[in-house]
Amino acid sequence: MLTFYFDDTFVIEQLDPDGKKFDKVSRIVARSEKHGALLHLDVNTEIYPMGVKEKFLMVLSPTLNYSGAPITNEAQVEQKSLADKFEYSMYGLLYKMDHMRSESSDGGSKSPPLVEVYVSFGGLQMRLRADPNSCGKFKDQLREELEMDPELPAVLLMGGGEGMGPVKETARVLGESLFDKELGKPIGQLIVICGRNKNLVATLESDEWNIPVKIRGFETQMEKWMGSCDCIITKAGPGTIAEALIRGLPIILNDYIPGQEKGNVPCVVDNGAGVFTRSLKETARIVAEWFSTKPDELKRMSENALKLAQPEAVFDIVKDIHDLACQRGPLANIPYILTSSFTSIN
């Protein structure tokens, strides 16, 4: 059965807002009626003319076949396909998903992050900015790309760039808790990021698993693994926490570095975006419940994570530094040559 990634009716607001770049191609800016999504899309307007205020239905689908069967060549297109109902079709690749913070319509408090989906259609580009709830099915394509199980919920287990902490022990108890012995089947899948710890990779790869497991070394595409999972287990490193919140991942914190990371724990826990436990059994129990009897709790924590996220933080920091620089006092105008001797004072 065919399931769409996204479908909505759009109204064109602008045509080539930055000027006409190519003779046969125009970039349209359109807003969807149902989801309020903002679309930037390159269209071959020589074969499919479009104009401001016109409406069109756009469907993003994993295949043209109504059966849902994938297509790798023209011979695999069914005799009656989705293309029969549309005047213009493109084949493309989703190459990036990102999150960004949007301002509220009244200019007041900031609203939850929006998802930005980037697709390339053989050089023609698309950017779709929408509410995360309307873009959930794009996770399916990420899972297909990463060769994950398309149906089972996934937990991401990390030990930092060096694969530190109880990663091996945690992975093994999750392998047990995410297998339902009564039903004789898994209730979840596990992704383990071992970083540069090659011994850890070799050890876990030699284990026998009753659930789908992927063992990875040092990763350069963490945004894809986070985007394809439903929760994360990690120590309280600020970078990982920040990325997980942006992705809306509920977090199980299993450790922290005293001093610099300790304050990150209450930030996550007190805001309802995750829990803290060093117990392996407790960790396994929480994930198993999230994936079986307590999906509403998982969803609520995901929503809280998105509320806590600061995807525009790097830009806010630059802006704050600029504002502070503009407020410098009269000493800031003293030439450096007159102050450089201060460094020699003991």
Side-chain angles (χ1 to χ4, degrees):
M1 181 178 179
L2 180 59
T3 301
F4 298 146
Y5 292 139
F6 185 91
D7 67 290
D8 205 342
T9 298
F10 285 81
V11 179
I12 300 176
E13 297 179 345
Q14 293 178 283
L15 198 65
D16 295 313
D18 299 318
K20 186 75 172 176
K21 304 294 184 181
F22 303 98
D23 293 337
K24 300 179 180 180
V25 176
S26 287
R27 174 161 294 181
I28 66 168
V29 179
R31 180 80 61 176
S32 75
E33 295 184 330
K34 181 169 59 176
H35 299 295
L38 181 64
L39 174 71
H40 289 73
L41 178 65
D42 295 337
V43 177
N44 187 328
T45 47
E46 183 181 56
I47 62 175
Y48 191 70
M50 306 186 80
V52 176
K53 295 184 179 180
E54 289 184 358
K55 291 186 178 182
F56 65 94
L57 171 65
M58 185 183 77
V59 169
L60 297 177
S61 172
T63 178
L64 292 175
N65 292 331
Y66 286 116
S67 65
I71 298 172
T72 57
N73 57 66
E74 291 185 10
Q76 294 177 324
V77 180
E78 296 168 356
Q79 187 173 6
K80 291 185 178 181
S81 74
L82 188 63
D84 298 330
K85 291 191 173 183
F86 290 83
E87 300 172 291
Y88 186 83
S89 300
M90 294 191 292
Y91 172 80
L93 175 68
L94 187 155
Y95 65 91
K96 180 181 179 183
M97 285 185 67
D98 210 345
H99 289 69
M100 53 86 66
R101 177 76 72 177
S102 63
E103 298 290 344
S104 64
S105 58
D106 60 2
S109 60
K110 294 180 177 179
S111 59
L114 299 175
V115 171
E116 287 190 327
V117 178
Y118 296 81
V119 179
S120 176
F121 300 96
L124 302 183
Q125 300 293 308
M126 184 201 83
R127 183 184 72 187
L128 179 68
R129 181 181 296 172
D131 180 272
N133 294 326
S134 64
C135 296
K137 293 185 177 65
F138 285 107
K139 181 182 289 187
D140 298 339
Q141 185 166 345
L142 280 177
R143 290 190 170 187
E144 181 180 350
E145 178 186 344
L146 299 173
E147 298 181 343
M148 296 172 58
D149 187 290
E151 303 295 334
L152 291 174
V155 54
L156 179 63
L157 173 60
M158 296 181 59
E162 304 304 322
M164 300 169 58
V167 176
K168 178 179 65 176
E169 296 81 2
T170 304
R172 287 172 173 171
V173 296
L174 286 169
E176 295 178 4
S177 70
L178 295 182
F179 184 80
D180 190 317
K181 294 181 179 179
E182 293 184 4
L183 298 177
K185 64 179 183 179
I187 60 172
Q189 59 186 314
L190 171 64
I191 311 299
V192 187
I193 307 297
C194 302
R196 300 179 183 88
N197 193 334
K198 295 182 179 180
N199 290 333
L200 179 60
V201 173
T203 299
L204 292 177
E205 285 183 338
S206 65
D207 285 359
E208 293 185 4
W209 302 91
N210 292 321
I211 66 171
V213 176
K214 285 199 170 296
I215 312 299
R216 307 291 297 184
F218 186 83
E219 278 293 335
T220 59
Q221 299 187 88
M222 280 308 305
E223 74 280 358
K224 289 186 177 181
W225 291 106
M226 284 192 175
S228 64
C229 290
D230 300 280
C231 63
I232 185 172
I233 303 171
T234 180
K235 72 180 186 68
T240 302
I241 290 176
E243 292 182 50
L245 294 176
I246 290 171
R247 292 289 175 181
L249 290 179
I251 306 169
I252 298 179
L253 298 173
N254 59 8
D255 205 355
Y256 59 83
I257 296 176
Q260 65 194 66
E261 291 182 353
K262 185 176 181 180
N264 297 336
V265 175
C267 177
V268 171
V269 176
D270 294 349
N271 285 284
V275 298
F276 174 78
T277 178
R278 287 194 174 102
S279 168
L280 298 178
K281 290 184 178 180
E282 181 74 3
T283 297
R285 179 191 64 79
I286 291 171
V287 176
E289 288 181 348
W290 281 352
F291 289 179
S292 57
T293 59
K294 295 184 177 180
D296 291 342
E297 181 178 302
L298 182 69
K299 181 180 179 181
R300 182 172 64 255
M301 286 195 170
S302 176
E303 292 171 350
N304 291 336
L306 286 172
K307 292 176 183 177
L308 192 58
Q310 297 288 336
E312 298 292 306
V314 64
F315 302 105
D316 292 339
I317 291 170
V318 172
K319 180 179 180 298
D320 289 344
I321 292 174
H322 175 265
D323 291 344
L324 288 172
C326 292
Q327 298 171 14
R328 293 181 302 175
L331 289 177
N333 297 318
I334 298 177
Y336 173 74
I337 192 172
L338 298 180
T339 63
S340 59
S341 60
F342 294 168
T343 59
S344 64
I345 297 177
N346 294 324

